[in-house]
Amino acid sequence: MKFIMAIVQDEDAIQLIDKLSEHRFMVTKMASTGGFLRTGNTTLICGVEDDRVDELIGLVEKTCKSRKQITSVNASHMSTADNYVPYPVEVAVGGATIFVLDVADFRRV
Ligand code: 2BA
């Protein structure tokens, strides 16, 4: 069995959960925050049998879209503590970041 953790954009999360449920995957949704953009994203966790990992990842790939976001970065070389100069930077946020971990034990009690 594998433990899959997928970090997706909030905009895709509900559609992805619907798709996963339709295909009879068990899923838990957690609200999360990206360390770089400091904006909300969604982390989905799923326990799946080894032979269904590719099917699940295929659904994530089909459903989650890459998007560009603008974020403000501090131009430290141009600013001091009293002279903060943020400038906009475009960042491409991926469709999903997926971790696949081996499960040592799984129980429902
Ligand atoms: P954030 O940390 O908010 O990152 C959003 C996007 O900003 C990233 O998209 C990447 O394109 C860019 N980015 C992140 N850190 C950067 C940096 N130090 N310098 C320049 N650009 C940077 P994704 O790579 O698609 O990541 C989307 C979200 O997935 C991330 O949101 C984070 O919440 C999570 N994530 C990605 N890789 C991860 C990892 N190795 N471990 C834990 N979480 C990860």
Side-chain angles (χ1 to χ4, degrees):
M1 184 178 219
K2 302 287 187 208
F3 179 80
I4 299 185
M5 187 178 275
I7 303 164
V8 304
Q9 294 176 58
D10 289 344
E11 292 89 330
D12 297 321
I14 297 301
Q15 204 192 340
L16 179 57
I17 291 168
D18 287 348
K19 271 267 171 299
L20 293 173
S21 302
E22 241 171 64
H23 286 75
R24 288 188 286 140
F25 287 107
M26 298 280 278
V27 57
T28 296
K29 173 181 183 287
M30 300 189 296
S32 44
T33 303
F36 186 68
L37 293 177
R38 312 283 166 93
T39 57
N41 54 26
T42 298
T43 300
L44 300 179
I45 58 172
C46 306
V48 294
E49 295 309 323
D50 290 18
D51 61 358
R52 296 199 71 201
V53 170
D54 289 343
E55 181 187 351
L56 189 153
I57 291 176
L59 292 172
V60 177
E61 277 174 344
K62 257 193 239 161
T63 312
C64 299
K65 298 167 189 66
S66 182
R67 296 183 183 86
K68 294 199 187 317
Q69 283 198 33
I70 304 290
T71 185
S72 287
V73 173
N74 184 13
S76 53
H77 60 286
M78 293 189 279
S79 58
T80 65
D82 322 318
N83 176 26
Y84 176 81
V85 185
Y87 67 96
V89 169
E90 192 177 75
V91 170
V93 185
T97 301
I98 305 168
F99 298 90
V100 180
L101 293 86
D102 286 323
V103 174
D105 194 9
F106 170 71
R107 296 171 200 215
R108 271 204 204 112
V109 293

